[in-house]
Amino acid sequence: GNSVTQMEGPVTLSEEAFLTINCTYTATGYPSLFWYVQYPGEGLQLLLKATKADDKGSNKGFEATYRKETTSFHLEKGSVQVSDSAVYFCALSDPGGSSNTGKLIFGQGTTLQVKP
Amino acid sequence: KAGVTQTPRYLIKTRGQQVTLSCSPISGHRSVSWYQQTPGQGLQFLFEYFSETQRNKGNFPGRFSGRQFSNSRSEMNVSTLELGDSALYLCASSYDRGILSYEQYFGPGTRLTVT
């Protein structure tokens, strides 16, 4: 079945360090890919998305490229801040039998802690 | 535009009781999905409603049910609560524009504790 695998955390970085969180997926069809972020005590916020191969999603200095050949969607940021400390989830839209199933499949989440 | 709202934010129930959670989607969004988040299992899909019909369902027992009203608001119900039902229940809404880009916008969640 369709699945998402993320690198295990926690990831601890110093402020202004470079961030990479790895995400690989298994899917039939052509899913859309997403990164969501969850701050303590809150729901999930959509961070960025990509809908087809070679698309690059970007937002707030974060970016990720949809790589179909490696089935990956790694999240990167050039210079992290303390305020980026959160849990990051990689997800794919489950094509299922229809393109509109309303179901996201999530990775297990990666906790990022940025120290001043 | 107001975001997805969920009520209540926190609930404490006893084993065997039932509970109803409510979700109001973003105005204009017609699809509502529900997820359960636990430390052990992560984020798991419960079900999705579109135009008052359940369109997709995850692998949860029949104790978990939901419905959607004509104004797209949705409720989920859990009957005969078990300790393992303690979780953060997240609702997400989407416009469902018929394309592959299926953006879902999440509410803050309802934290359910079963004692």
Side-chain angles (χ1 to χ4, degrees):
Chain A
N2 300 329
S3 65
V4 176
T5 302
Q6 288 180 236
M7 63 186 287
E8 289 192 21
V11 174
T12 303
L13 295 173
S14 297
E15 207 164 24
E16 300 184 2
F18 184 85
L19 168 71
T20 300
I21 299 178
N22 291 337
C23 170
T24 57
Y25 68 91
T26 301
T28 54
Y30 302 94
S32 293
L33 300 175
F34 306 88
W35 276 100
Y36 282 85
V37 58
Q38 186 175 35
Y39 298 100
E42 298 184 13
L44 277 67
Q45 296 179 24
L46 177 62
L47 183 58
L48 53 84
K49 68 171 184 178
T51 60
K52 61 184 186 296
D54 299 325
D55 262 4
K56 178 185 280 188
S58 61
N59 185 26
K60 299 180 182 179
F62 292 90
E63 58 183 35
T65 301
Y66 190 164
R67 301 283 188 203
K68 194 163 178 63
E69 64 276 13
T70 55
T71 60
S72 65
F73 192 55
H74 304 321
L75 181 68
E76 296 182 336
K77 187 177 185 183
S79 176
V80 294
Q81 306 300 313
V82 173
S83 57
D84 294 326
S85 298
V87 182
Y88 292 81
F89 292 92
C90 183
L92 64 81
S93 61
D94 186 7
S98 159
S99 63
N100 302 319
T101 60
K103 175 181 177 182
L104 291 175
I105 296 174
F106 287 89
Q108 63 269 43
T110 301
T111 300
L112 170 65
Q113 184 177 30
V114 181
K115 296 189 173 180
Chain B
K1 212 179 230 188
V4 178
T5 58
Q6 292 187 245
T7 56
R9 292 293 310 276
Y10 303 92
L11 265 179
I12 299 175
K13 291 286 189 179
T14 304
R15 268 182 304 176
Q17 289 185 315
Q18 76 164 18
V19 67
T20 299
L21 313 182
S22 181
C23 171
S24 292
I26 292 172
S27 177
H29 284 194
R30 301 185 299 167
S31 168
V32 174
S33 298
W34 289 88
Y35 296 84
Q36 181 195 64
Q37 185 178 23
T38 60
Q41 299 298 317
L43 280 152
Q44 294 185 287
F45 173 78
L46 281 155
F47 30 63
E48 184 226 359
Y49 285 87
F50 176 77
S51 291
E52 301 179 64
T53 301
Q54 186 180 88
R55 190 160 64 172
N56 202 357
K57 189 176 189 302
N59 295 323
F60 279 82
R63 299 185 297 106
F64 292 82
S65 63
R67 59 178 176 168
Q68 186 180 34
F69 302 94
S70 58
N71 61 358
S72 294
R73 190 178 70 85
S74 177
E75 290 180 346
M76 67 163 281
N77 185 78
V78 188
S79 62
T80 320
L81 284 165
E82 301 177 359
L83 294 179
D85 297 332
S86 295
L88 181 66
Y89 289 88
L90 293 163
C91 166
S93 75
S94 173
Y95 182 64
D96 185 27
R97 289 165 288 181
I99 60 174
L100 292 175
S101 169
Y102 210 94
E103 295 178 24
Q104 293 190 12
Y105 294 87
F106 285 78
T110 294
R111 172 73 63 184
L112 172 65
T113 302
V114 182
T115 62

